[in-house]
């Protein structure tokens, strides 16, 4: 048997190399579809990030028919933000240790969770589900999507972090989470670039007015001066 040439060996090694062109193209497509989705939701719901964060919060409150309470507390390093879907109010918790611009990003990320189910999938997504994903799952060629956990898709409520996480929250919020089992979603330290909540936050951040001042923060601070944010 002839030994493989150095050229063939290099090709074999290259085919196993991570971060191939195929993976990069796939990642770009996923990000593109996610960006289109979040922009479509924001447009259909009439969100106006150019009017500032307080205006966006008030608009989402009207859409949901209940107030949004934004609390700023020091969270464990495993989490930067949290959303609790309450019965008569929604609660967003933002990590007090984050920088002002990062707090704004966290807040926008959590606001997405309050509106993500308001608009259904677009026509292309519905067709893809109906004629591709559905048949594949029925024929056993694709595993059905795993059901979300009791604490939501963004949960970091594990055995190690739970005591620290609950210790940072207000007693009222702990009761909602534990006793009433209200749905909760959390933003961790590391977020995938194609996570819809993160894509939404970054898209909205580009449109929120951030006037320059001596500190270079401008309207970031004034946006957080909203009566319910306390940031």
């Amino acid at each position: 048997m002839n030994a493989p040439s150095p050229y063939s060996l290099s090709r074999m090694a290259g085919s196993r190399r991570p971060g191939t062109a195929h993976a990069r193209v796939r990642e770009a497509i996923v990000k593109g579809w996610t960006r289109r989705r979040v922009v479509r939701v924001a447009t259909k719901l009439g969100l106006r990030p150019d009017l500032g964060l307080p205006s966006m919060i008030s608009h989402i409150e009207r859409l949901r028919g209940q107030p949004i309470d934004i609390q700023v507390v020091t969270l464990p390093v495993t989490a930067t933000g949290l959303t609790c879907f309450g019965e008569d109010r929604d609660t967003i918790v933002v990590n007090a240790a984050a920088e002002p611009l990062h707090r704004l990003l966290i807040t926008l990320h959590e606001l997405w969770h309050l509106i993500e189910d308001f608009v259904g999938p677009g026509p292309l997504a519905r067709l893809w589900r109906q004629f591709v994903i559905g048949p594949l799952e029925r024929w056993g060629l694709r595993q059905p999507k795993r059901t979300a956990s009791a604490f939501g898709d963004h949960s970091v409520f594990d055995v190690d972090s739970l005591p620290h996480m609950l210790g940072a929250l207000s007693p009222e919020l702990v009761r909602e989470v534990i006793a009433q089992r209200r749905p909760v979603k959390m933003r961790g330290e590391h977020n995938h670039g194609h996570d819809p909540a993160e894509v939404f936050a970054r898209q909205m951040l580009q449109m929120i007015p951030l006037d320059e001042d001596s500190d270079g923060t401008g309207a970031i601070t004034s946006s957080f001066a909203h009566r319910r944010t306390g940031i």
Side-chain angles (χ1 to χ4, degrees), residues 32 54 63 65 101-102 106 110 122 179 199 202 205 222:
L63 289 172
L101 186 59
H102 191 195
I106 296 167
E110 300 304 333
V199 173
R202 296 182 184 279
L205 186 61
S222 64

Side-chain angles (χ1 to χ4, degrees), residues 5-26:
S5 67
Y7 173 71
S8 62
L9 286 174
S10 65
R11 288 186 62 188
M12 291 166 61
S15 65
R16 300 189 186 98
R17 214 172 280 146
T20 61
H22 175 75
R24 290 194 295 269
V25 170
R26 184 178 181 279

Side-chain angles (χ1 to χ4, degrees), residues 90-162:
D90 300 306
T91 303
I92 289 177
V93 178
V94 180
N95 191 1
E99 297 294 328
L101 186 59
H102 191 195
R103 293 186 198 177
L104 178 54
L105 186 71
I106 296 167
T107 304
L108 291 167
H109 177 112
E110 300 304 333
L111 286 172
W112 166 260
H113 293 312
L114 298 177
I115 62 171
E116 59 184 325
D117 294 330
F118 273 36
V119 178
L124 290 178
R126 289 196 298 270
L127 289 173
W128 179 262
R129 176 70 196 177
Q130 181 178 355
F131 295 108
V132 179
I133 301 300
L136 287 176
E137 290 180 351
R138 288 194 297 272
W139 298 335
L141 300 176
R142 183 182 188 275
Q143 290 295 325
K145 188 175 181 182
R146 188 167 54 90
T147 305
S149 67
F151 288 114
D153 296 331
H154 287 61
S155 176
V156 291
F157 280 136
D158 55 37
V159 175
D160 294 328
S161 67
L162 184 59

